Amino acid sequence: MGFNKTLRPGLVQIRVLDLDKTLHFYKEILGLNEVCRSSDGLRVCLKAYDEFDHHSVTLRLASEAGLDYVAFKVNSPEELERIKDEVVAFGYRIDVIPPEYDQPGFGKRYAFTISTGHRFQIYSDVKLADQTPMIHNPDIWTEPPRGMRATRMDHFLLYGPNIAEAERFCKEVFGMYAPEVCNTVDGNRLAVWLTGSNKPHDLAFVEYPKPGKIHHLGFYLNDWTDIGNAADWIAVNRLKLDVGPTRHAITRGLTIYFWEPSGNRIEVYAGGYSAYPDHPQRVWDSDQLGRGLFYYSGEMVPSFLEIVT
Amino acid sequence: MGFNKTLRPGLVQIRVLDLDKTLHFYKEILGLNEVCRSSDGLRVCLKAYDEFDHHSVTLRLASEAGLDYVAFKVNSPEELERIKDEVVAFGYRIDVIPPEYDQPGFGKRYAFTISTGHRFQIYSDVKLADQTPMIHNPDIWTEPPRGMRATRMDHFLLYGPNIAEAERFCKEVFGMYAPEVCNTVDGNRLAVWLTGSNKPHDLAFVEYPKPGKIHHLGFYLNDWTDIGNAADWIAVNRLKLDVGPTRHAITRGLTIYFWEPSGNRIEVYAGGYSAYPDHPQRVWDSDQLGRGLFYYSGEMVPSFLEIVT
Amino acid sequence: MGFNKTLRPGLVQIRVLDLDKTLHFYKEILGLNEVCRSSDGLRVCLKAYDEFDHHSVTLRLASEAGLDYVAFKVNSPEELERIKDEVVAFGYRIDVIPPEYDQPGFGKRYAFTISTGHRFQIYSDVKLADQTPMIHNPDIWTEPPRGMRATRMDHFLLYGPNIAEAERFCKEVFGMYAPEVCNTVDGNRLAVWLTGSNKPHDLAFVEYPKPGKIHHLGFYLNDWTDIGNAADWIAVNRLKLDVGPTRHAITRGLTIYFWEPSGNRIEVYAGGYSAYPDHPQRVWDSDQLGRGLFYYSGEMVPSFLEIVT
Amino acid sequence: MGFNKTLRPGLVQIRVLDLDKTLHFYKEILGLNEVCRSSDGLRVCLKAYDEFDHHSVTLRLASEAGLDYVAFKVNSPEELERIKDEVVAFGYRIDVIPPEYDQPGFGKRYAFTISTGHRFQIYSDVKLADQTPMIHNPDIWTEPPRGMRATRMDHFLLYGPNIAEAERFCKEVFGMYAPEVCNTVDGNRLAVWLTGSNKPHDLAFVEYPKPGKIHHLGFYLNDWTDIGNAADWIAVNRLKLDVGPTRHAITRGLTIYFWEPSGNRIEVYAGGYSAYPDHPQRVWDSDQLGRGLFYYSGEMVPSFLEIVT
């Protein structure tokens, strides 16, 4: 019972090649706020202006771009233990990460690797940020949102092998459902969009031979006009555009893909329908995936299937 | 466990004084589609273009405007029985409404009266509409949305006595949470916004001496530009505006209130934050309620507290 | 020949009561840039980020809010002399203001008083600002627009006696035309909107017994979403709202009226049709002026007719 | 003196291959209204809902897509004769087209061929359409705009040889100015944008060896949200997209290029700065033209330079 054992993806750790230039992007262009840095200067924690929890994005200085792990927040310590037991029952080995380890403000986390080779974590306790949205007679913001005005870390698209198992895991253990799927002509999953909320996706998978790859990290903007504003910032700052502005038919979201200075693909995303678990699942044939992803041109963009980190 | 025993408010029956003129509003101006009529011509069932279920709004010809009842969809027949038992345990008497009675396409419903004098119903089974959003390689719409382009019936604000009990009921029995509340200086609830989803409200209550009143029925639009378009339709069609376009600080929604031809207050609403049960509750002092409701002027509109149906 | 002897209203001098608080509004909230100050500290010159000329708004510290004068730019020194001669022929006495007097960067200006008691000026020469929009392989902006993101000083509405003569002057001498007018039931002008361009108004007049009054100074925003953003800034900064967001049926502009800290009414305005001198004139009956001004409510706002500075 | 001898491009005749399918596009998707048809059924006259004149677009059934001619409206019969004389003085041979010939509602037109091989016409008299925008206590529309909600025929981009002469002609004879130009490394004009109004372009030229070609015909939409809506209509109706939604850095317009069913490239366009003849000219280097045209990707789209009709 209950489709929302997980509240949301609440934390992601991303590898970046260069802190100065890349941080400038995340802070001044994307609009995140810096929360803290590790004492060795190798990691920086960030959050969007409209998020309550301590931070949602950690950048780690590394020699190669990509994803370290994603972490999902669950609703209570009891739920955390229950889900941990279900992870074990599903067959994945659990590592325990003690409170405050590596991620200031975060309580105990459990970590494990899923079929696609991605590291997942779950946690229930995290401190509120020092600067959250107001809660007493609140204004809509206290400092004007900057740059692209990202409101939250929203979702990610992961590439790896055996997404059928990953989908089953997200449904059975995380209590998620799949508002949209894409199947090959012989009936195999090519891609699946999964959510534990009314968002049309909290994460998505594409079947891919190499494990542990990330296609993009998505941030939420308010609307189509903010998508246009984000495109203006891409242009003025000479960021490398991948695709957009366009609409996904899948999720109906309004979107731009581009690369941040370290080479991680970022999506800024707005709109999208309200998903409910009782709604019929939307099904895409793989020969229509181009239209599903890039609704306006109706054609697949080669870089979408080829470039991951 | 689980905050979302109820999926959403899925059906509302509204009393109207005149079918021709009022239906013209709901269909050609608000943009709903007619689904069916009762054989006696006294009731008309409607749905928004982006809803899946059979219908979401029933207009009933009557001598006085107002609300007959609201009905909440739950996730399964088992959940329906469980919640029904909890309603009884909470102390409310249940009436059983057999399948298809009065509302074509709907399965068994349970009805009861809450502390504020409003009739609530719950159900789990309802047929899909003949014309739902596409689900196989879907387009974003099949017929262009009309008029104000309402995407769904979204929420309602109910006025009545003893909202403290109503709030407790919605939390304990429906598994909802309250993203925002407004308290009087002596610490009593003046108003509460409640949700069983990531919408900032599925319904709201304002304390009021007379039972069973409805302040407004809210429909969801895509964005601020559609709010402007709705205002254009209000103006061209000489509908009576109450307030807006403006923003609520409460829920952050973008909004217009106006009256349909039978005198029921309608809200068209867009935006609003994504609510989560772990987010801190936002609390309003009653002397700031004007700002909370009408953020741009910062002042209460007398009609808001005085006119209900 | 030629309807556009005047290019546009290019400069306005406004009286303010307090430089610190009021300048904060014009710079950080409205989004203008400070260009220069007089050595006595009594005047500050400002421009919008998207304007080319030296400055467009001068604030003068005074004991009473209101308008000192408005100045219109004409296309060439020859045109300036021709128009000056026509002003004299129309019957107004000319004062010559030498280059750089009071307004750094401005060439010779001619000043005179029209029938409504307002001081008008004309000029053809003004230096480009140090920071203009880019002109070689230009980006759309070089520094991100701030606050309400005003793109230019756009128009003003003047209140005074004998607007019939003022209208005749603007047409005959300035070569303007009147896209819209409002007449009383006995056929007299109550209001007139005048332009020398494709903007639906460069200025407007309302008949009023006291001379030399200004109703509002209007700044141009990009679109309805920027109108909403401006309303957010009004709310967060607790500025006093007069009316809006709404649409004028007159000019079709999207609009908010509010007061800056010194008590001058400001309009932020977007949209509006493209005016052409061959288009039929739109005519309003005075009993429809409420709808013409505030299209969504359809009703006059008393403060609109009563409060001027 | 006077930069606006011509009011605007007011009429264009386009060749189409198929009346049924193509008309369906112009009427139901682009949103134009049919005004009249020739008795032989070979030509159909159309106008946008927000235009006053009799019609602005004529489709002519032909075996090849492309442009027959464009016609510019001037402000008076006297101005028409003056400009005609200047055309002759410039060295072009004039053909006189009698009133109502081929184009119902239009008075006398003068036709001539410019250096790029395009047929131009000028006229001053044209009847108002039966259904114009309202002018007495006007609503903003009388019938809700359809489809892409085009408000007017706006501009065109012409490809042909010797655009230097065409530019000189538009300036000297039509009194236009060029807000933006693009030059090759050796200082020759590659492209020029020209206007006789405050629109950033009434027409534009690109140097091209073949005479008389049209790159696209542009229609004006209200804003970026209407650009998104137009893209939705392109997708739902499976029209062939060329580029967009994107922004031009040149003119700053928001834009989509696509092909109508007969293969003429259509642009839907919104925004763009207000041009004035005293503003500095913006100059583009040809190696930056990709960025100038397609600001978000910063890269030239090959079809832009290769496909014309």
Side-chain angles (χ1 to χ4, degrees):
Chain A
M1 192 214 81
F3 60 87
N4 55 341
K5 295 175 175 176
T6 51
L7 290 169
R8 62 182 168 275
L11 175 67
V12 63
Q13 183 164 302
I14 295 289
R15 294 188 299 272
V16 300
L17 308 182
D18 167 274
L19 267 191
D20 282 353
K21 202 170 167 193
T22 306
L23 253 184
H24 179 263
F25 162 76
Y26 282 96
K27 290 167 68 175
E28 303 308 323
I29 299 178
L30 187 57
L32 304 188
N33 294 319
E34 181 176 330
V35 173
C36 57
R37 295 194 187 209
S38 63
S39 54
D40 57 11
L42 299 182
R43 277 178 297 109
V44 181
C45 304
L46 301 153
K47 71 179 278 289
Y49 79 94
D50 208 27
E51 293 175 316
F52 282 96
D53 288 341
H54 193 270
H55 61 275
S56 58
V57 175
T58 298
L59 306 182
R60 182 173 71 84
L61 198 56
S63 58
E64 194 175 19
L67 173 73
D68 279 345
Y69 55 79
V70 296
F72 294 83
K73 188 176 186 185
V74 305
N75 211 359
S76 68
E78 297 73 30
E79 189 72 12
L80 179 65
E81 298 306 317
R82 257 196 301 267
I83 295 180
K84 183 257 294 171
D85 292 344
E86 291 182 48
V87 173
V88 172
F90 195 88
Y92 294 157
R93 193 174 63 81
I94 288 280
D95 295 316
V96 183
I97 305 171
E100 299 283 334
Y101 180 82
D102 257 13
Q103 301 289 357
F106 280 72
K108 180 175 60 178
R109 287 172 285 152
Y110 293 119
F112 50 95
T113 302
I114 65 166
S115 60
T116 52
H118 296 94
R119 287 295 279 178
F120 272 25
Q121 298 182 2
I122 51 174
Y123 64 97
S124 63
D125 288 326
V126 57
K127 287 183 187 156
L128 287 181
D130 286 341
Q131 293 205 336
T132 69
M134 286 175 70
I135 58 172
H136 185 214
N137 301 322
D139 276 301
I140 59 165
W141 41 256
T142 45
E143 292 200 0
R146 281 189 310 279
M148 294 181 175
R149 306 193 278 262
T151 66
R152 66 168 181 253
M153 192 267 286
D154 189 71
H155 69 269
F156 17 76
L157 171 54
L158 305 177
Y159 274 45
N162 195 4
I163 67 168
E165 179 177 314
E167 175 181 342
R168 191 163 59 83
F169 173 83
C170 287
K171 288 174 172 172
E172 294 181 7
V173 178
F174 278 2
M176 293 179 166
Y177 62 104
E180 308 211 26
V181 296
C182 178
N183 298 326
T184 61
V185 282
D186 47 358
N188 293 318
R189 277 284 188 276
L190 178 59
V192 59
W193 290 260
L194 290 150
T195 185
S197 70
N198 299 113
K199 288 162 53 182
H201 58 346
D202 281 333
L203 77 166
F205 291 100
V206 166
E207 186 72 27
Y208 192 71
K210 291 184 201 153
K213 294 297 180 184
I214 184 167
H215 180 274
H216 70 264
L217 175 59
F219 291 86
Y220 200 75
L221 306 187
N222 277 321
D223 56 22
W224 176 238
T225 303
D226 274 1
I227 293 289
N229 173 64
D232 286 340
W233 280 79
I234 287 169
V236 169
N237 289 282
R238 306 293 187 265
L239 294 172
K240 172 71 180 156
L241 182 75
D242 185 13
V243 194
T246 186
R247 183 197 282 279
H248 298 306
I250 297 167
T251 78
R252 286 201 208 145
L254 306 161
T255 177
I256 309 173
Y257 291 117
F258 61 99
W259 285 278
E260 40 89 305
S262 289
N264 293 295
R265 191 193 273 102
I266 300 291
E267 181 182 23
V268 285
Y269 176 94
Y273 53 71
S274 294
Y276 283 94
D278 64 320
H279 283 175
Q281 187 176 63
R282 286 152 161 105
V283 179
W284 290 85
D285 302 325
S286 57
D287 65 355
Q288 293 296 309
L289 186 58
R291 175 170 303 279
L293 291 169
F294 309 112
Y295 191 45
Y296 294 156
S297 70
E299 290 171 12
M300 180 56 74
V301 175
S303 61
F304 190 87
L305 294 179
E306 294 161 9
I307 304 177
V308 292
T309 53
Chain B
M1 192 214 82
F3 59 87
N4 55 341
K5 296 176 176 177
T6 51
L7 289 169
R8 64 182 168 275
L11 176 66
V12 62
Q13 183 165 298
I14 294 289
R15 295 188 299 271
V16 299
L17 308 182
D18 166 274
L19 267 191
D20 282 353
K21 202 170 167 192
T22 306
L23 252 185
H24 179 264
F25 162 76
Y26 282 96
K27 290 167 66 176
E28 303 308 323
I29 299 177
L30 187 58
L32 305 187
N33 294 319
E34 183 175 329
V35 173
C36 58
R37 294 192 187 211
S38 62
S39 54
D40 58 9
L42 300 182
R43 277 178 296 109
V44 181
C45 304
L46 301 154
K47 72 179 277 290
Y49 79 94
D50 208 25
E51 293 175 316
F52 282 97
D53 287 340
H54 193 269
H55 63 274
S56 58
V57 175
T58 298
L59 306 182
R60 183 173 71 82
L61 197 57
S63 58
E64 195 175 17
L67 173 73
D68 279 346
Y69 54 79
V70 296
F72 294 82
K73 188 176 186 185
V74 305
N75 212 0
S76 67
E78 297 71 31
E79 188 73 12
L80 178 65
E81 297 306 316
R82 258 196 300 267
I83 295 180
K84 184 258 293 173
D85 292 344
E86 291 183 49
V87 172
V88 171
F90 195 87
Y92 294 158
R93 192 175 63 81
I94 288 280
D95 295 317
V96 182
I97 305 171
E100 297 286 332
Y101 181 82
D102 258 14
Q103 301 289 356
F106 280 72
K108 181 174 60 175
R109 288 172 285 152
Y110 294 118
F112 50 95
T113 302
I114 66 165
S115 61
T116 52
H118 295 95
R119 287 294 279 176
F120 271 26
Q121 299 182 2
I122 51 175
Y123 64 97
S124 63
D125 288 327
V126 57
K127 287 182 187 154
L128 287 181
D130 286 339
Q131 294 205 335
T132 68
M134 286 175 70
I135 58 172
H136 185 213
N137 300 323
D139 276 302
I140 58 165
W141 42 255
T142 46
E143 293 200 359
R146 282 190 310 281
M148 295 180 175
R149 307 193 276 263
T151 65
R152 66 167 182 254
M153 192 268 286
D154 189 71
H155 69 270
F156 16 76
L157 171 53
L158 305 176
Y159 274 46
N162 195 4
I163 66 167
E165 180 178 314
E167 176 181 342
R168 191 164 58 85
F169 173 83
C170 287
K171 289 175 172 172
E172 294 181 6
V173 178
F174 278 4
M176 293 179 165
Y177 61 103
E180 306 211 28
V181 297
C182 178
N183 296 326
T184 61
V185 282
D186 47 359
N188 293 318
R189 277 285 187 276
L190 177 60
V192 59
W193 290 259
L194 289 151
T195 185
S197 70
N198 299 113
K199 289 162 53 183
H201 58 346
D202 282 332
L203 78 165
F205 292 100
V206 166
E207 185 73 26
Y208 192 70
K210 291 185 200 154
K213 294 298 181 185
I214 185 167
H215 180 273
H216 70 264
L217 176 59
F219 292 87
Y220 200 75
L221 306 187
N222 277 321
D223 57 22
W224 176 238
T225 304
D226 274 1
I227 293 288
N229 173 64
D232 287 340
W233 280 79
I234 287 170
V236 169
N237 289 282
R238 306 292 187 266
L239 293 171
K240 172 71 180 156
L241 182 75
D242 185 12
V243 193
T246 187
R247 183 197 282 277
H248 297 305
I250 297 168
T251 79
R252 286 200 208 147
L254 306 161
T255 177
I256 311 173
Y257 291 118
F258 61 99
W259 285 278
E260 41 88 305
S262 288
N264 293 295
R265 190 193 272 103
I266 299 292
E267 180 181 24
V268 286
Y269 177 95
Y273 52 71
S274 294
Y276 283 94
D278 65 320
H279 283 176
Q281 188 176 62
R282 286 150 162 108
V283 179
W284 291 85
D285 302 326
S286 57
D287 65 355
Q288 293 296 309
L289 185 58
R291 174 169 304 278
L293 291 168
F294 308 112
Y295 191 46
Y296 294 156
S297 71
E299 290 171 11
M300 180 56 74
V301 175
S303 61
F304 190 87
L305 294 179
E306 292 161 9
I307 304 178
V308 291
T309 53
Chain C
M1 192 215 80
F3 59 87
N4 55 339
K5 295 176 176 176
T6 52
L7 289 169
R8 63 181 168 275
L11 176 66
V12 62
Q13 183 165 299
I14 295 289
R15 296 188 299 271
V16 298
L17 308 182
D18 166 274
L19 266 191
D20 282 352
K21 201 170 167 191
T22 305
L23 252 184
H24 180 263
F25 162 76
Y26 282 97
K27 291 167 67 175
E28 302 307 325
I29 299 178
L30 187 58
L32 305 187
N33 294 318
E34 183 175 329
V35 173
C36 57
R37 295 191 186 212
S38 64
S39 55
D40 57 10
L42 300 182
R43 277 179 295 109
V44 180
C45 304
L46 301 153
K47 71 178 279 290
Y49 80 95
D50 208 26
E51 293 175 317
F52 282 97
D53 288 340
H54 194 270
H55 62 274
S56 58
V57 175
T58 299
L59 307 182
R60 182 173 71 83
L61 197 57
S63 58
E64 196 175 17
L67 172 73
D68 279 346
Y69 54 80
V70 296
F72 294 83
K73 188 176 186 184
V74 305
N75 211 0
S76 67
E78 298 72 31
E79 189 72 12
L80 178 65
E81 298 306 317
R82 259 196 299 268
I83 295 179
K84 183 259 292 173
D85 292 343
E86 291 183 47
V87 172
V88 171
F90 194 88
Y92 294 158
R93 192 175 62 82
I94 287 280
D95 295 318
V96 182
I97 305 171
E100 299 283 333
Y101 181 83
D102 258 13
Q103 302 288 357
F106 281 72
K108 180 174 62 176
R109 288 172 286 154
Y110 294 118
F112 50 94
T113 303
I114 65 166
S115 62
T116 53
H118 296 94
R119 287 295 278 177
F120 272 25
Q121 299 182 2
I122 52 175
Y123 64 97
S124 62
D125 289 328
V126 57
K127 287 182 187 155
L128 287 180
D130 287 339
Q131 294 205 334
T132 69
M134 286 175 70
I135 58 172
H136 185 214
N137 301 322
D139 277 301
I140 59 165
W141 42 255
T142 46
E143 294 200 358
R146 280 191 311 280
M148 295 180 175
R149 308 193 276 262
T151 65
R152 66 167 181 254
M153 193 268 285
D154 189 71
H155 69 270
F156 17 75
L157 171 53
L158 306 176
Y159 274 45
N162 196 3
I163 66 168
E165 180 177 313
E167 175 181 342
R168 191 164 59 84
F169 173 82
C170 287
K171 288 174 172 172
E172 293 180 8
V173 179
F174 277 4
M176 293 179 167
Y177 62 104
E180 307 212 28
V181 297
C182 177
N183 298 326
T184 60
V185 283
D186 48 358
N188 293 319
R189 277 285 187 276
L190 177 60
V192 60
W193 290 260
L194 290 151
T195 186
S197 70
N198 299 113
K199 288 162 52 182
H201 58 346
D202 282 333
L203 78 165
F205 292 100
V206 166
E207 186 73 26
Y208 192 72
K210 291 185 200 153
K213 294 297 181 185
I214 185 168
H215 180 273
H216 69 263
L217 175 59
F219 291 86
Y220 200 75
L221 306 187
N222 276 321
D223 56 22
W224 176 237
T225 304
D226 274 1
I227 293 288
N229 173 65
D232 286 340
W233 280 79
I234 287 170
V236 169
N237 289 283
R238 306 291 187 268
L239 294 172
K240 172 73 181 155
L241 182 75
D242 185 11
V243 194
T246 187
R247 183 195 283 278
H248 297 306
I250 297 167
T251 78
R252 286 199 209 148
L254 305 161
T255 177
I256 309 173
Y257 291 118
F258 60 100
W259 284 278
E260 41 88 304
S262 288
N264 293 295
R265 189 193 274 103
I266 299 293
E267 181 181 24
V268 284
Y269 176 95
Y273 53 71
S274 294
Y276 283 94
D278 64 320
H279 283 176
Q281 188 177 63
R282 286 150 162 108
V283 179
W284 290 85
D285 301 326
S286 57
D287 65 355
Q288 294 295 310
L289 185 58
R291 174 170 305 277
L293 291 169
F294 309 112
Y295 191 46
Y296 294 156
S297 70
E299 291 171 10
M300 181 55 75
V301 175
S303 60
F304 190 88
L305 294 179
E306 292 162 8
I307 304 178
V308 292
T309 53
Chain D
M1 191 214 81
F3 60 87
N4 57 339
K5 294 176 176 177
T6 51
L7 289 169
R8 64 181 167 275
L11 176 67
V12 63
Q13 183 164 300
I14 295 289
R15 295 189 299 272
V16 299
L17 307 183
D18 166 275
L19 267 191
D20 282 352
K21 201 169 167 194
T22 306
L23 252 184
H24 178 263
F25 162 75
Y26 282 97
K27 290 167 69 175
E28 303 307 324
I29 298 177
L30 187 57
L32 305 187
N33 294 318
E34 182 176 329
V35 172
C36 57
R37 294 192 186 211
S38 63
S39 54
D40 57 10
L42 300 182
R43 277 179 296 110
V44 181
C45 304
L46 300 153
K47 70 179 278 289
Y49 80 94
D50 208 27
E51 292 176 316
F52 281 97
D53 288 340
H54 193 270
H55 61 275
S56 58
V57 175
T58 298
L59 307 181
R60 183 173 71 82
L61 198 57
S63 58
E64 195 175 19
L67 172 73
D68 279 346
Y69 54 80
V70 296
F72 294 83
K73 188 175 186 185
V74 305
N75 211 359
S76 68
E78 297 73 31
E79 189 71 12
L80 178 65
E81 297 306 316
R82 256 196 302 266
I83 295 180
K84 184 258 294 173
D85 292 345
E86 291 183 48
V87 172
V88 172
F90 194 87
Y92 294 157
R93 191 175 63 83
I94 287 280
D95 295 317
V96 182
I97 305 171
E100 299 284 334
Y101 180 83
D102 259 13
Q103 301 288 356
F106 280 73
K108 181 174 61 178
R109 288 172 286 153
Y110 293 119
F112 50 95
T113 302
I114 66 166
S115 60
T116 53
H118 296 93
R119 287 294 279 177
F120 272 25
Q121 299 182 1
I122 51 174
Y123 64 96
S124 63
D125 288 326
V126 57
K127 287 182 187 154
L128 287 181
D130 287 340
Q131 294 205 335
T132 69
M134 287 176 69
I135 58 173
H136 185 214
N137 301 323
D139 276 302
I140 59 165
W141 42 256
T142 47
E143 293 199 1
R146 280 190 310 281
M148 294 180 175
R149 307 194 276 263
T151 66
R152 66 168 181 253
M153 192 268 286
D154 189 71
H155 69 270
F156 17 76
L157 171 54
L158 306 176
Y159 274 46
N162 196 3
I163 67 168
E165 180 177 313
E167 175 181 343
R168 191 164 59 84
F169 172 83
C170 287
K171 288 174 171 171
E172 293 180 8
V173 179
F174 278 3
M176 292 180 166
Y177 63 103
E180 307 211 27
V181 297
C182 177
N183 297 327
T184 61
V185 281
D186 48 358
N188 293 318
R189 276 286 188 274
L190 178 60
V192 60
W193 290 259
L194 291 150
T195 186
S197 69
N198 299 113
K199 289 162 51 183
H201 58 346
D202 282 332
L203 77 166
F205 292 100
V206 166
E207 186 72 26
Y208 192 70
K210 292 185 201 152
K213 294 297 180 186
I214 184 167
H215 180 274
H216 70 264
L217 175 59
F219 291 86
Y220 200 76
L221 306 187
N222 276 321
D223 56 22
W224 176 238
T225 303
D226 274 1
I227 293 288
N229 173 64
D232 286 340
W233 280 79
I234 287 169
V236 170
N237 289 281
R238 306 291 186 269
L239 294 172
K240 172 72 180 155
L241 181 77
D242 185 12
V243 193
T246 187
R247 183 196 283 279
H248 297 305
I250 297 168
T251 78
R252 286 200 208 146
L254 306 161
T255 177
I256 309 173
Y257 291 117
F258 61 100
W259 284 278
E260 42 89 304
S262 288
N264 293 295
R265 190 192 273 102
I266 299 293
E267 181 182 24
V268 285
Y269 176 95
Y273 53 70
S274 294
Y276 283 94
D278 64 320
H279 284 175
Q281 188 176 62
R282 287 152 161 106
V283 179
W284 290 85
D285 302 325
S286 58
D287 66 356
Q288 294 295 310
L289 185 58
R291 174 170 305 278
L293 291 169
F294 308 112
Y295 191 45
Y296 294 156
S297 71
E299 290 171 12
M300 180 56 74
V301 175
S303 61
F304 190 87
L305 294 178
E306 293 161 10
I307 304 178
V308 292
T309 53

